[in-house]
Amino acid sequence: MKIVVLKFGGTSVADVPQIKNISLKVKKEVYLGNKVIVVVSAMAGVTNNLIDLVKRMSDTPPNSEYDVVLSTGEQVTSALLAIALHNLNIKARSWLGWQVPVTSNKSYSKAVIEEVKTGPLLEFFKKNQVAVVSGFQGLSGENRITTLGRGGSDTSAVAIAAAFSAERCDIYTDVDGVYTTDPRIVKSAKKLDLITYEEMLELASQGAKVLQTRSVALAMKYNVKLRVLSSFEDLPGTSIIKEGKNMEKSEISGIAHSLNEAKITLSGVPDRPGQAAEIFGALAKYSINVDMIVQSSSINHKATDITFTIPETDLLTAESTIKKIQKKINFEKFITETNVVKISVVGNAMRTQSGIAKTMFETLANNQINIHVISTSEIKISVLISSDYYELAMRSLHSAFGLDRK
Ligand code: ASP
Ligand code: MG
């Protein structure tokens, strides 16, 4: 039995005509003789509106109730699509997360999937019907609804594809694939036919929004055949694959940017063991994700400056946390900057090719763009620059690395 998973994002189920449109895509798969599991997001904008509703009710809602409200968006779309399929004489039913069930831990609003139970759906497939699963939803051990974090339907789809050893997991969205960079900013951006899991993981975690980062990590772990493709046009999309298969040979694969960045500098930090542990330990307590870190070397062994970046949305918490330990650490100044953007170039070729850093820094220098912070991984170089220049930086890097569409 061949199982395929098709996932449709919010813009693909934005209204009734859209849902009718995708029901035709589902029909096509059914006619090919596949068992089909469809995973749907909430209609575009709905999750944001639900968050707004909760916020208007309370600044500190119980997390579990927050998730009950948020999960309703996906409930609506799964049933609407099941109805649309009935209109086409295709037998289908909606499956809510708890009915599958997709079990998770109890980190409400950012729950982690524990297991996708396959028994009930396998039984259901004997009736030759299509399963339309509400994405984004889980069920905690406390028998309550959880949600998987923004963009979590991608992770639902991949987890389901892994659990059922699906032939493939197609992620339908409003773009026709993964691009070398954001085409709204760089007009000459190219669609990629192939990209490796590692590269996609870096691009997603550095700000590319096509796929939730967790979904890519999961696909890599379980070797799920993942594709990103358009709901609106019949195009081949982008396949996310293991390294080594006939990859395009350009130096780098893509450029990501992240606007949600804040830079913090602690100046005059006395130069003695344990200071960094103290600072980052305090931030970790509040689950603040620290990204780039640089420490200046002290010339006279007296004091250093420590600079790091965090999500801008965590800045207030970080500030109050660090100020609490100011006396203990005895640094001089706490300086923040939010007018910054992180630009990352990503490519597996970095493992073997030299000169990529040189090209990157030279290009920025030629455009008089100052670099605040640099960080690297095996297949990525990131720089933090002023947000005034990020579009210029992205366009010039895109050209410099030969990524422009011919
Ligand atoms: N509806 C949820 C969100 O907007 C989950 C998803 O669409 O993937 O974050
Ligand atoms: Mg999404």
Side-chain angles (χ1 to χ4, degrees):
M1 176 169 66
K2 271 193 190 166
I3 295 180
V4 298
V5 175
L6 312 178
K7 184 259 170 179
F8 294 94
T11 47
S12 309
V13 293
D15 51 27
V16 167
Q18 295 287 355
I19 296 175
K20 287 186 176 165
N21 170 46
I22 64 161
S23 67
L24 296 172
K25 291 210 182 276
V26 177
K27 178 178 167 183
K28 223 167 153 186
E29 290 290 345
V30 174
Y31 279 33
L32 288 171
N34 294 318
K35 298 268 180 255
V36 182
I37 305 177
V38 187
V39 176
V40 286
S41 285
M43 296 160 99
V46 165
T47 308
N48 287 342
N49 292 341
L50 292 169
I51 292 174
D52 244 38
L53 267 181
V54 178
K55 278 195 186 144
R56 277 165 52 201
M57 190 59 74
S58 164
D59 288 334
T60 51
N63 290 338
S64 49
E65 301 304 347
Y66 178 90
D67 280 18
V68 175
V69 177
L70 256 65
S71 67
T72 57
E74 274 71 9
Q75 171 159 346
V76 172
T77 34
S78 60
L80 283 177
L81 179 57
I83 295 168
L85 289 166
H86 277 268
N87 279 343
L88 299 173
N89 281 322
I90 292 170
K91 291 206 179 72
R93 74 155 262 203
S94 60
W95 286 82
L96 303 179
W98 64 268
Q99 293 173 319
V100 174
V102 177
T103 63
S104 78
N105 68 5
K106 50 180 199 224
S107 298
Y108 296 96
S109 83
K110 45 178 184 298
V112 174
I113 294 176
E114 284 173 350
E115 196 190 351
V116 177
K117 297 232 161 67
T118 53
L121 277 183
L122 288 175
E123 196 51 41
F124 170 76
F125 281 141
K126 291 184 185 154
K127 297 193 265 184
N128 267 322
Q129 296 204 19
V130 172
V132 188
V133 178
S134 306
F136 190 44
Q137 306 178 343
L139 174 68
S140 77
E142 300 170 328
N143 203 25
R144 303 218 52 187
I145 289 172
T146 59
T147 63
L148 309 178
R150 299 308 306 270
S153 299
D154 294 334
T155 300
S156 306
V158 172
I160 288 170
F164 288 90
S165 307
E167 279 283 303
R168 60 190 147 84
C169 180
D170 287 346
I171 308 277
Y172 283 94
T173 179
D174 52 4
V175 289
D176 62 341
V178 178
Y179 275 70
T180 47
T181 193
D182 189 334
R184 283 165 303 187
I185 298 171
V186 183
K187 293 277 173 288
S188 55
K190 266 190 306 205
K191 194 215 57 145
L192 297 163
D193 295 332
L194 301 170
I195 187 165
T196 65
Y197 289 117
E198 287 92 343
E199 289 169 322
M200 193 62 239
L201 194 56
E202 287 280 16
L203 287 174
S205 69
Q206 298 306 317
K209 295 206 175 63
V210 215
L211 290 170
Q212 197 194 32
T213 308
R214 281 165 57 190
S215 72
V216 185
L218 203 61
M220 180 156 107
K221 183 168 169 193
Y222 292 100
N223 236 324
V224 173
K225 268 202 197 146
L226 198 57
R227 267 202 307 179
V228 174
L229 60 181
S230 164
S231 292
F232 313 121
E233 293 167 288
D234 230 348
L235 294 167
T238 301
S239 295
I240 296 131
I241 58 165
K242 265 203 230 173
E243 202 187 338
K245 281 190 207 157
N246 195 17
M247 295 299 299
E248 287 161 309
K249 279 280 173 285
S250 75
E251 281 183 330
I252 70 161
S253 294
I255 302 174
H257 74 292
S258 161
L259 304 175
N260 178 25
E261 303 289 325
K263 182 177 88 165
I264 297 177
T265 300
L266 306 183
S267 73
V269 181
D271 191 13
R272 56 169 190 258
Q275 299 282 58
E278 193 71 51
I279 294 162
F280 297 113
L283 294 171
K285 251 192 227 152
Y286 289 90
S287 301
I288 296 174
N289 210 343
V290 178
D291 182 23
M292 311 167 102
I293 303 176
V294 281
Q295 178 178 319
S296 64
S297 65
S298 69
I299 298 164
N300 48 16
H301 294 288
K302 274 195 183 138
T304 64
D305 296 337
I306 297 181
T307 298
F308 55 91
T309 64
I310 57 166
E312 192 176 348
T313 34
D314 288 336
L315 186 57
L316 287 179
T317 321
E319 182 160 2
S320 66
T321 308
I322 301 241
K323 288 200 165 152
K324 269 185 223 147
I325 54 171
Q326 178 155 16
K327 281 233 172 69
K328 192 166 176 194
I329 295 185
N330 205 15
F331 61 87
E332 274 164 25
K333 277 192 221 141
F334 179 93
I335 307 153
T336 61
E337 186 161 354
T338 52
N339 189 30
V340 286
V341 173
K342 184 176 56 171
I343 311 275
S344 307
V345 304
V346 171
N348 276 347
M350 268 182 225
R351 291 210 180 98
T352 49
Q353 271 174 37
S354 56
I356 292 175
K358 170 185 170 278
T359 306
M360 182 167 189
F361 301 144
E362 245 173 34
T363 306
L364 295 171
N366 291 341
N367 286 284
Q368 305 291 324
I369 298 170
N370 193 31
I371 302 171
H372 295 225
V373 189
I374 301 171
S375 72
T376 62
S377 81
E378 216 186 344
I379 63 164
K380 173 200 82 192
I381 304 171
S382 302
V383 292
L384 195 74
I385 61 171
S386 156
S387 34
D388 299 341
Y389 304 116
Y390 82 92
E391 298 191 344
L392 172 65
M394 287 169 73
R395 286 189 201 114
S396 48
L397 289 169
H398 198 265
S399 306
F401 284 108
L403 296 174
D404 289 344
R405 191 161 17 90
K406 300 271 150 33

